[in-house]
């Protein structure tokens, strides 16, 4: 069902056209497929339920109805809430999809240490190439823009001292994508692929 490149308008139009009855299972399926638009989908589901409850459009009316106005209104509501939408870090995004670092890395064919380093902000996000961003978004079933926001939001965890020291602990310098790939334990073929995007 999910196409990561779809825009909110397209998703909401498809939601209106595909859904006959609003059920928790339907809402779950659509919000899982489009986590970046989950709030807008839930809002539309409530609108549809309210319309039916208050004796709005009949079934025949709904088949010929133009969804443009409703979709535009939903996009407007989503835009108003956009700054309030919490972007997860990579680990939280994986957990939402019932994945762990090992499984995600395995699906992508990349070293687990690379995914782990991305998740803890040890790789500079701006150096991560487009082919990894596309592959990661496909694997999570989300838009590339949403996956990029996840990468940007993945930062080092606060460090706590495990022993008495006079200075606070510090994090090391974040590496570039190339530095991380070259230092990994992957085969030379896999390193070449993740450095160039070509087999």
């Amino acid at each position: 069902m999910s196409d990561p490149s779809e825009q909110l308008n397209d998703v909401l139009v498809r939601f209106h056209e595909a859904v006959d009855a609003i059920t928790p299972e339907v809402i779950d399926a659509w919000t899982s497929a489009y986590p970046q638009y989950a709030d807008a989908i839930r809002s539309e589901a409530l609108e549809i339920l309210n319309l039916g409850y208050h004796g709005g459009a009949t079934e025949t009316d709904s088949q010929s109805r133009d969804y443009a106005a409703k979709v535009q209104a939903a996009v407007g509501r989503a835009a108003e809430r956009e700054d309030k939408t919490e972007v997860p870090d990579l680990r939280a995004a994986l957990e939402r999809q019932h994945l762990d670092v090992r499984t995600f890395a395995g699906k992508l064919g990349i070293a687990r240490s690379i995914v782990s380093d991305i998740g803890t902000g040890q790789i500079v996000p701006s150096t991560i190439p487009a082919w990894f961003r596309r592959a990661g978004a496909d694997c999570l079933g989300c838009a590339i823009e949403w996956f990029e926001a996840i990468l940007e939001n993945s930062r080092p965890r606060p460090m706590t001292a495990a022993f008495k020291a006079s200075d606070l602990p510090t994090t090391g310098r974040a590496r570039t994508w190339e530095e991380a790939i070259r230092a990994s334990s992957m085969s030379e073929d896999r390193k070449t692929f993740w450095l160039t995007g070509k087999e």
Side-chain angles (χ1 to χ4, degrees):
M1 179 193 301
S2 176
D3 176 355
S5 66
E6 281 189 281
Q7 298 300 309
L8 176 57
N9 296 46
D10 302 325
V11 171
L12 291 178
V13 168
R14 285 185 57 239
F15 180 71
H16 275 279
E17 292 173 344
V19 174
D20 293 325
I22 301 296
T23 65
E25 293 76 22
V26 165
I27 295 171
D28 237 15
W30 280 80
T31 55
S32 294
Y34 299 99
Q36 70 276 27
Y37 302 141
D39 287 343
I41 290 167
R42 287 189 195 100
S43 175
E44 279 310 287
L46 285 173
E47 291 278 330
I48 293 168
L49 285 172
N50 284 337
L51 185 65
Y53 177 75
H54 293 297
T58 64
E59 190 174 336
T60 53
D61 290 338
S62 67
Q63 289 174 355
S64 60
R65 184 173 34 171
D66 178 12
Y67 299 117
K70 285 186 70 59
V71 167
Q72 286 306 322
V75 170
R77 288 192 301 273
E80 288 171 9
R81 290 192 302 266
E82 190 172 330
D83 55 343
K84 298 176 188 172
T85 302
E86 184 182 336
V87 177
D89 62 13
L90 184 57
R91 282 188 185 274
L94 292 177
E95 285 172 10
R96 288 180 186 179
Q97 296 293 326
H98 308 293
L99 294 171
D100 57 19
V101 170
R102 180 191 300 270
T103 307
F104 184 68
K107 286 184 173 204
L108 294 177
I110 195 167
R112 186 178 63 194
S113 63
I114 299 294
V115 176
S116 182
D117 284 352
I118 292 171
T120 56
Q122 296 303 308
I123 296 177
V124 179
S126 61
T127 66
I128 299 172
W131 49 90
F132 178 82
R133 294 168 187 261
R134 276 193 304 273
D138 285 345
C139 190
L140 283 183
C142 67
I144 292 175
E145 294 80 8
W146 183 250
F147 187 67
E148 288 173 344
I150 290 169
L151 296 180
E152 290 293 333
N153 199 41
S154 298
R155 298 282 178 234
R157 302 288 187 274
M159 295 185 69
T160 55
F163 55 90
K164 292 184 179 179
S166 57
D167 296 323
L168 292 173
T170 59
T171 57
R173 177 186 70 85
R175 297 180 293 172
T176 65
W177 176 260
E178 182 174 348
E179 289 170 334
I181 294 294
R182 292 196 187 283
S184 75
S185 60
M186 290 188 292
S187 68
E188 289 304 315
D189 286 349
R190 293 313 293 165
K191 287 182 183 180
T192 300
F193 171 76
W194 286 114
L195 287 171
T196 64
K198 299 173 184 173
E199 293 285 358

